[in-house]
Amino acid sequence: MKRKLFVLLLIVAVVSASAFARGAAEAAPRVETQVILGSSTQVNADFFDGWTNSATNAYLKELMTGYETVVWTKEGRYIVNPISVPSYTAVDNADGSKTYTFALANNLTYNDGTKITAKDYVFAILYAASPEALEIGAQYGVGPEYVGYEKFHSGESAEFAGIRLLGDLSFSITIKAEELPYFFDLSLVSVAPYPLHVIAPGVDVVDAGKGAYLTDTFTADLLRQTVLTAGTGYRYKPLVTSGAYQFENYNPADSTASVVLNPRYLGDYDGAKGSIHRLIIKLTNTATQMDELKTGAIDMLQGISGGDQISRGLDLYDQKLVNYSSYPRYGYGKIAFACDFGPTQFDAVRRAIAYSLDRNEFARQYTGGYGIIVNGYYGASMWEYSQNKARLDKDLNAYPYNLQKAEEELVNDGWTLNKDGKPFQKGVDAIRHKMVDGTLMPLVIEWANTANNPVSDLISTMLVPEVRKIGMQINGTTVDFSVLLDNLYKENIEKPVYGMFNLGTGFNTTQAYWYYYSTDPEYFGTYNTNFIADKQLEAITLDMKKTDPQDLTGWVEKWIQFQKRWNHLLPDIPLYSDMYHDFYNPRIVGYESSSTWDFRYAIVRASIK
Amino acid sequence: MLKYVFKRLAYIVIVFLIASVLLFALYKSVPGDPARMMLEGNKASMKPAEYEARYQDAVRKLGLDKPVFVQYFTWLFNTLRLDFGYSLTYKMPVKEMIGEPMKNTIMLNVWSLIPVFAITLPLGIASAVRRGTRFDRSVQIITIIGYSLPFFVIALLFIFLLAVKIPIFPISGVQTPALRGTPLRMFLDKLYHMALPLIVMVFTSLGGLTRYVRATMIEALRMDYIRTARAKGLSEKVVIYSHAFRNALIPFITIMTGWFISIFSGSVVIERTFLWNGMGKVIIDALNQQDFAVSLAMVMFYLVLSLIGNLVMDLSYGLADPRVRLE
């Protein structure tokens, strides 16, 4: 009897605890205007520039940042922000440098009510470029284009000559002559205010005529205290911010972070202030993320790729449980070639490989039908492509699967010998050879790939057997991704071996074509990972760089010339460009996303039905 | 006894040092460039000269410019001072970033121990005592199913049943997002989130442990002293719990040691499936992202834990079985 009573009590206790716990969670008031974004990228504890590049943290940082001098628009351009900068001047100086002078609006405040002045903008530049920031472990790319950066950054000079504090509401930035002309020069002067009174209390920004500087109280120790203190430092808890949203909470227990509307925010460049009260980013995993969306545990998933996941999302759409938007990726998966040694140094070989692969079928198989192919160094969502799609589709070679053409490329390039130096006979000889600098070079390409990679599997089955038919051999080696990168960048490598790699690439909004295709060896590996040294291609890119920022037509013409040359040289073979899908709760309206206008922008313009 | 303990402690120090050399060498031989990883995301925003300067700075900060043996002794010295280095992924000291996952893992594992042992011990004993009966056969079938199915399949099945089809529990996470409330309310919410992974952990542990207890009990029940105890007219309860079970404890103690270590180590599958931010997830993420400071620190921690666990296990043998002498 006692035992039965004990079991009964145990059951009652377990059921009660479960019900109570569940009740506790249900009792949590779910604010109507709240959106939970599910992401497979974990939110970490960093909410300040300088430490993390996690995409989810970047969303939150951007949402908390406002009143930049220059902003990115939905149309894919940089413009001066009319909300924070009612007027500005851009003056070309006699020495070739260019000075942007900004007059700030008088009514800007942080979320704590503190007025934003020019000192906050100047402080943001001085802080990020300072040796003290480097000393505390922050990584910034701010300032190298400005006059006086080297001396300030090294600590040789207290003043930053190219940065001037001109008054409470005015400051200027001077860009170095060697950086100009530069088509994206506006992007170089995009600055957001950092709260001086929070990050460097007691420090002042002063300008005695030789450039702005920070007073002596600005030290690494001070920054360690204000920025790095665990739990309360600005890096972890930026309570004073200028953007549409303000920091609310970060829960390290499950890597969830939330921001809430900043009631003092005056708006983005188009007046958008945000209307959804709270935004939360929650970690999800691929296996169950659609279930979380279905059950309402999350409200949104963005950037979903892959046939399986997209099909599951579209099933929910058919059941009217979600809405969705889709857009092409701002990048592509590719075969990348080393263009400086071995057979892949010859563009005809690269083209022959392209002709040997049925890219349409490849993209269909890899993306499950949710992908496209591109024929140049661009993403299908770039405005240059979308405005000139018909012309580019006509002018660029799509390299349709054609082994005859592949063979022609090889023959015309001199791959006509066998291993003995005699004429190559199809059906008799296996591998073509070419006389290069008096030595026979076999048409054998070493290909580095990574394990558990479906792209590698598809290349093995769809390309490797095909090139054998034209007298080429591709030897695949599976390596760790870091080894692949070592070989791609040719870092820590005594003698390069691999001429072919498969990996993905993404574009920046200010893609520095002139660095990526520079023939200056300094850029090899860091930017120019193909090690391609084509003077014509480089000349086009340098010409692009010099385009007047207002001359969009001129830019587009040069951009198309670049694409044509690139398409001929083919340093990469673009394999697929995924169609990304954003799935979201139907109560969210006005959410218009694209690959260059993602969650951080689109959600500020969305609302809850 | 004390002499034995000191001797074992000395062995622990030696094993620790040998293992530290081996592990450090192993991690050092893994391809990859930690300095480059530290800067990888910022590469596109830097010019080559700037990147090179930052790269060299990172090499210096990580001590990679020093000879390997200097790196080893620096690392060992720091580890002994509980300074486990800097996480390249989290961009903060390892000591600071492992606190929360460790808490989550311990919480989940300690809570799972209670129902696991509360169910498996009596079930295993009952099954052994009623060996060959319909009850025993049923237990055998159920436990073999639980034992054979992979963790993730069971986890996904439970998610489908108890979080999607009948939405009683949340699918993943540790806490309701943005929930505010009293500490009690927060604690209960955490328990609510812990329920499903806990159920899966308990379910998946039942098979192996029940069968283990059953097997050791059957072995013990076959012994001559059990026959003697019964012949003496002792009650079946005394025979089973005082004589058979105590003797069956020795192999069970071995299992317990493993469980003790697992309290701190977490389950990769459970934590990744339910996004329970624990040590299993942290370690696998660290390995995937080549965040060696984290993985090396954790491996060393588990090494020490295993060595101490083994010592405790050997001492426990003596307590459980007076015939065992520690010399």
Side-chain angles (χ1 to χ4, degrees), chain B residues 105-118:
Chain B
T105 286
I106 292 173
M107 184 177 180
L108 183 63
N109 287 319
V110 167
W111 276 87
S112 75
L113 281 182
I114 301 164
V116 164
F117 286 110

Side-chain angles (χ1 to χ4, degrees), chain B residues 133-192:
Chain B
T133 63
R134 190 176 290 173
F135 170 77
D136 179 41
R137 282 200 296 273
S138 308
V139 171
Q140 290 288 298
I141 291 167
I142 292 166
T143 53
I144 200 79
I145 292 170
Y147 192 58
S148 316
L149 281 175
F151 264 37
F152 73 93
V153 172
I154 294 173
L156 290 176
L157 269 174
F158 272 85
I159 287 174
F160 180 72
L161 287 174
L162 298 177
V164 180
K165 275 287 156 196
I166 312 163
I168 304 171
F169 299 110
I171 293 171
S172 71
V174 176
Q175 200 104 57
T176 302
L179 179 73
R180 295 279 181 284
T182 60
L184 175 67
R185 187 174 165 195
M186 301 300 277
F187 176 72
L188 289 174
D189 183 63
K190 204 165 185 175
L191 282 187
Y192 171 55

Side-chain angles (χ1 to χ4, degrees), chain A residues 247-444:
Chain A
F247 184 84
E248 185 189 38
N249 183 47
Y250 168 66
N251 185 357
D254 63 353
S255 305
T256 300
S258 60
V259 290
V260 290
L261 274 176
N262 169 8
R264 291 194 164 91
Y265 188 57
L266 299 178
D268 281 358
Y269 74 96
D270 56 352
K273 295 179 181 180
S275 68
I276 300 165
H277 176 69
R278 177 180 288 116
L279 305 176
I280 300 168
I281 299 187
K282 177 187 182 294
L283 187 65
T284 52
N285 76 32
T286 316
T288 55
Q289 61 186 5
M290 287 299 166
D291 291 326
E292 298 228 35
L293 191 60
K294 184 181 177 181
T295 56
I298 56 172
D299 300 301
M300 182 180 282
L301 286 167
Q302 63 112 41
I304 300 297
S305 63
D308 286 349
Q309 289 296 314
I310 293 173
S311 297
R312 287 189 67 193
L314 292 177
D315 285 347
L316 297 182
Y317 173 73
D318 290 341
Q319 295 166 42
K320 301 193 186 318
L321 294 172
V322 299
N323 279 338
Y324 79 95
S325 62
S326 67
Y327 47 86
R329 168 181 169 180
Y330 208 60
Y332 52 66
K334 65 182 180 180
I335 289 175
F337 295 110
C339 303
D340 59 335
F341 75 99
T344 51
Q345 69 183 290
F346 302 102
D347 50 76
V349 171
R350 304 194 293 263
R351 285 193 294 274
I353 295 173
Y355 278 125
S356 305
L357 179 66
D358 185 347
R359 288 194 303 148
N360 285 308
E361 179 59 18
F362 189 102
R364 194 192 64 74
Q365 286 203 28
Y366 178 69
T367 64
Y370 299 103
I372 54 170
I373 55 169
V374 293
N375 300 318
Y377 187 67
Y378 59 83
S381 50
M382 282 184 180
W383 65 271
E384 292 95 333
Y385 173 74
S386 48
Q387 284 184 8
N388 300 279
K389 185 175 181 303
R391 187 174 160 194
L392 282 161
D393 289 350
K394 181 170 155 284
D395 288 355
L396 299 183
N397 188 345
Y399 294 98
Y401 173 71
N402 188 331
L403 287 182
Q404 197 183 337
K405 279 199 171 176
E407 213 159 14
E408 277 172 26
E409 287 282 356
L410 296 177
V411 171
N412 292 339
D413 195 48
W415 297 92
T416 53
L417 305 174
N418 66 11
K419 62 180 178 359
D420 301 318
K422 292 179 180 155
F424 176 85
Q425 286 183 36
K426 211 172 170 184
V428 178
D429 298 313
I431 297 168
R432 290 175 180 275
H433 287 67
K434 178 182 176 176
M435 194 62 77
V436 180
D437 300 330
T439 313
L440 273 179
M441 180 185 281
L443 190 47
V444 177

Side-chain angles (χ1 to χ4, degrees), chain A residues 73-328:
Chain A
T73 67
K74 194 177 180 186
E75 292 72 34
R77 310 274 205 287
Y78 283 100
I79 61 161
V80 172
N81 186 352
I83 303 291
S84 52
V85 182
S87 69
Y88 77 102
T89 60
V91 177
D92 293 318
N93 303 315
D95 62 357
S97 63
K98 186 173 184 177
T99 301
Y100 277 91
T101 304
F102 299 104
L104 300 170
N106 196 20
N107 55 347
L108 309 178
T109 64
Y110 289 109
N111 62 327
D112 69 344
T114 310
K115 188 175 167 66
I116 296 174
T117 71
K119 285 187 178 181
D120 296 294
Y121 286 85
V122 172
F123 171 68
I125 300 169
L126 299 186
Y127 158 77
S130 70
E132 287 81 2
L134 201 59
E135 201 180 324
I136 63 166
Q139 298 287 347
Y140 292 97
V142 174
E145 300 84 4
Y146 304 155
V147 169
Y149 169 78
E150 284 74 15
K151 283 187 175 175
F152 179 77
H153 183 60
S154 64
E156 190 185 332
S157 166
E159 292 98 359
F160 199 145
I163 310 297
R164 299 296 312 277
L165 179 68
L166 304 172
D168 276 355
L169 296 172
S170 179
F171 72 102
S172 71
I173 299 172
T174 302
I175 303 170
K176 289 174 186 167
E178 60 261 36
E179 299 291 336
L180 299 165
Y182 178 48
F183 182 68
F184 297 120
D185 71 0
L186 258 187
S187 71
L188 296 180
V189 292
S190 180
V191 187
Y194 283 176
L196 173 64
H197 66 291
V198 177
I199 297 173
V203 174
D204 198 10
V205 179
V206 189
D207 191 327
K210 291 182 186 169
Y213 66 93
L214 298 165
T215 52
D216 290 344
T217 43
F218 180 77
T219 61
D221 283 340
L222 174 72
L223 293 179
R224 279 191 195 97
Q225 196 187 328
T226 57
V227 177
L228 297 187
T229 302
T232 56
Y234 198 78
R235 176 183 168 187
Y236 309 110
K237 209 170 185 179
L239 293 176
V240 181
T241 49
S242 56
Y245 283 83
Q246 55 189 331
F247 184 84
E248 185 189 38
N249 183 47
Y250 168 66
N251 185 357
D254 63 353
S255 305
T256 300
S258 60
V259 290
V260 290
L261 274 176
N262 169 8
R264 291 194 164 91
Y265 188 57
L266 299 178
D268 281 358
Y269 74 96
D270 56 352
K273 295 179 181 180
S275 68
I276 300 165
H277 176 69
R278 177 180 288 116
L279 305 176
I280 300 168
I281 299 187
K282 177 187 182 294
L283 187 65
T284 52
N285 76 32
T286 316
T288 55
Q289 61 186 5
M290 287 299 166
D291 291 326
E292 298 228 35
L293 191 60
K294 184 181 177 181
T295 56
I298 56 172
D299 300 301
M300 182 180 282
L301 286 167
Q302 63 112 41
I304 300 297
S305 63
D308 286 349
Q309 289 296 314
I310 293 173
S311 297
R312 287 189 67 193
L314 292 177
D315 285 347
L316 297 182
Y317 173 73
D318 290 341
Q319 295 166 42
K320 301 193 186 318
L321 294 172
V322 299
N323 279 338
Y324 79 95
S325 62
S326 67
Y327 47 86

Side-chain angles (χ1 to χ4, degrees), chain B residues 240-261:
Chain B
I240 291 167
Y241 291 102
S242 295
H243 292 261
F245 182 61
R246 191 160 176 208
N247 280 286
L249 265 180
I250 290 197
F252 196 67
I253 285 169
T254 314
I255 292 272
M256 280 291 288
T257 311
W259 275 80
F260 169 71
I261 294 163

